[in-house]
């Protein structure tokens, strides 16, 4: 846990945010928000209800207080009709050039976090928007700091709920490690070793190992093993044969995967799948 906490902190040290609130009030009818470059879109539904529609075809009824976050600022619409109009606050969260893309590529297209899902996210959003609408000393500095806090809570939420894997998020947003992380994710079956990983980022073994551990919170080979096992679990859920899974994630055969899987989780892949299926029945 401590390593993961340090990893999230290291990730956020490389990123800078600032927020600009541009709307607060009742939403009636249809409101369209155009795509933003190098920026995320943040909305807080204080009360009322509305329907969220994205360019990808998502249509979601939001009927209670919620924070809605679009990491890459994609075009979207809100529709509010009837006797329960939406009371909405909206902001643009700006990143340094290129940071928005690095973050957005690893997060869902949007997050809708209801009050009961995370009181921390809701309270941070409330504090940010409250500051935005009061003329106080050091107002913009406070807004930027509160934006930092809100982003920490949002990332804690997505990591804590398994929406995104922290090591991949941290590595993929680090400029030196991002290309390698992409290769590992796309080709876990490859026979990766420390020398090849270090060479791919033009570093010595020792420098690469130190940077990786500082950024990800694990050694390169520890991370590779965890990633492969996580991918194996997803394939098990899809009812794929263990032998096929082994080959797809970088193990010679089912016996090799069984051995590593049992060492990590204390049970075999098939036993793990039975436990998983019984828990969702």
């Amino acid at each position: 846990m401590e390593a993961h906490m340090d990893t999230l902190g290291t990730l956020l040290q490389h990123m800078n945010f600032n927020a600009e609130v541009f709307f607060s009030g009742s939403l009636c009818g249809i409101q369209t928000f155009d795509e933003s470059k190098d920026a995320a879109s943040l909305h807080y539904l204080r009360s009322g209800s509305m329907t969220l529609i994205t360019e990808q075809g998502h249509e979601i009824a939001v009927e209670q207080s919620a924070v809605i976050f679009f990491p890459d600022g994609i075009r979207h619409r809100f529709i509010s009709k009837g006797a329960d109009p939406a009371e909405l606050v909206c902001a643009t969260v700006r990143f340094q050039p290129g940071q928005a893309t690095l973050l957005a590529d690893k997060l869902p297209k949007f997050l809708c976090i209801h009050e009961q899902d995370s009181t921390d996210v809701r309270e941070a959003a409330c504090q940010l928007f409250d500051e935005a609408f009061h003329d106080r000393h050091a107002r913009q500095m406070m807004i930027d700091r509160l934006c930092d806090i809100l982003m920490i809570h949002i990332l804690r939420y997505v990591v804590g709920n398994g929406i995104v894997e922290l090591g991949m998020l941290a590595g993929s947003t680090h400029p030196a490690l991002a290309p390698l992380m992409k290769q590992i994710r796309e080709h876990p079956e490859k026979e990766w070793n420390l020398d090849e990983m270090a060479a791919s980022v033009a570093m010595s073994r020792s420098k690469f190992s130190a940077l990786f551990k500082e950024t990800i919170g694990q050694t390169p080979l520890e991370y590779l093993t965890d990633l492969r096992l996580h991918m194996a679990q997803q394939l098990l859920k899809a009812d794929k044969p263990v032998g096929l899974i082994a080959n797809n994630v970088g193990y010679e055969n089912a016996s090799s995967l069984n051995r590593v899987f049992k060492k990590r989780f204390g049970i075999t892949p098939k036993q793990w799948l039975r436990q998983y299926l019984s828990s969702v029945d």
Side-chain angles (χ1 to χ4, degrees):
M1 175 66 75
E2 184 176 351
H4 276 195
M5 292 170 65
D6 290 341
T7 300
L8 184 55
T10 300
L11 164 64
L12 291 169
Q13 284 176 1
H14 294 288
M15 310 198 78
N16 294 304
F17 321 100
N18 61 77
E20 179 183 344
V21 178
F22 61 87
F23 176 82
S24 177
S26 297
L27 176 65
C28 185
I30 301 174
Q31 178 66 54
T32 300
F33 299 88
D34 290 328
E35 184 175 356
S36 301
K37 182 176 176 59
D38 284 324
S41 296
L42 177 68
H43 308 281
Y44 173 43
L45 177 64
R46 288 172 163 170
S47 62
S49 62
M50 63 185 185
T51 300
L52 160 65
I53 300 175
T54 72
E55 290 287 279
Q56 291 73 34
H58 302 100
E59 185 169 333
I60 298 175
V62 187
E63 299 177 338
Q64 55 185 295
S65 176
V67 172
I68 303 167
F69 182 62
F70 292 85
D72 60 356
I74 59 172
R75 182 181 170 90
H76 55 283
R77 288 183 292 159
F78 293 138
I79 301 176
S80 180
K81 297 179 180 179
D84 193 20
E87 288 292 328
L88 194 66
V89 188
C90 306
T92 298
V93 180
R94 299 201 177 278
F95 303 82
Q96 290 183 342
Q99 287 184 341
T101 301
L102 287 172
L103 185 63
D105 283 350
K106 307 303 171 295
L107 294 176
K109 286 295 183 184
F110 69 92
L111 294 161
C112 184
I113 306 174
H114 293 100
E115 181 176 353
Q116 71 268 23
D117 296 331
S118 174
T119 56
D120 288 334
V121 170
R122 182 189 65 82
E123 289 174 1
C126 286
Q127 289 179 329
L128 187 154
F129 290 127
D130 178 69
E131 186 67 30
F133 290 103
H134 287 85
D135 189 13
R136 298 164 173 154
H137 294 298
R139 172 178 171 274
Q140 189 57 51
M141 181 180 290
M142 179 64 81
I143 289 173
D144 291 344
R145 298 298 182 272
L146 290 170
C147 186
D148 289 344
I149 292 170
L150 176 60
M151 290 302 302
I152 290 171
H153 283 307
I154 287 174
L155 291 176
R156 281 179 174 177
Y157 172 81
V158 298
V159 170
N161 286 274
I163 298 171
V164 67
E165 197 274 319
L166 179 56
M168 178 58 69
L169 178 61
S172 298
T173 53
H174 191 289
L177 296 176
L180 172 63
M181 301 302 284
K182 184 174 186 293
Q183 290 180 50
I184 293 174
R185 185 79 178 180
E186 293 178 351
H187 301 286
E189 78 286 353
K190 188 174 177 179
E191 293 185 13
W192 293 99
N193 59 59
L194 193 57
D195 287 332
E196 185 174 6
M197 291 181 186
S200 74
V201 294
M203 294 182 188
S204 67
R205 281 173 50 116
S206 58
K207 183 177 179 180
F208 167 70
S209 297
L211 176 64
F212 197 100
K213 180 67 179 289
E214 178 186 1
T215 304
I216 309 300
Q218 295 177 290
T219 68
L221 297 182
E222 287 172 345
Y223 173 76
L224 178 62
T225 298
D226 278 359
L227 176 65
R228 284 171 165 169
L229 293 180
H230 172 74
M231 289 181 164
Q233 288 175 328
Q234 303 313 305
L235 292 170
L236 284 166
K237 292 178 185 179
D239 201 28
K240 302 296 182 183
V242 175
L244 177 63
I245 294 172
N247 292 332
N248 285 348
V249 301
Y251 294 100
E252 186 176 354
N253 50 46
S255 296
S256 298
L257 174 59
N258 280 338
R259 183 172 61 255
V260 177
F261 198 101
K262 189 169 184 178
K263 182 178 180 181
R264 176 68 174 79
F265 299 111
I267 53 178
T268 67
K270 289 184 177 180
Q271 290 170 333
W272 178 89
L273 181 60
R274 283 196 293 269
Q275 287 189 4
Y276 168 76
L277 292 175
S278 65
S279 70
V280 296
D281 284 343

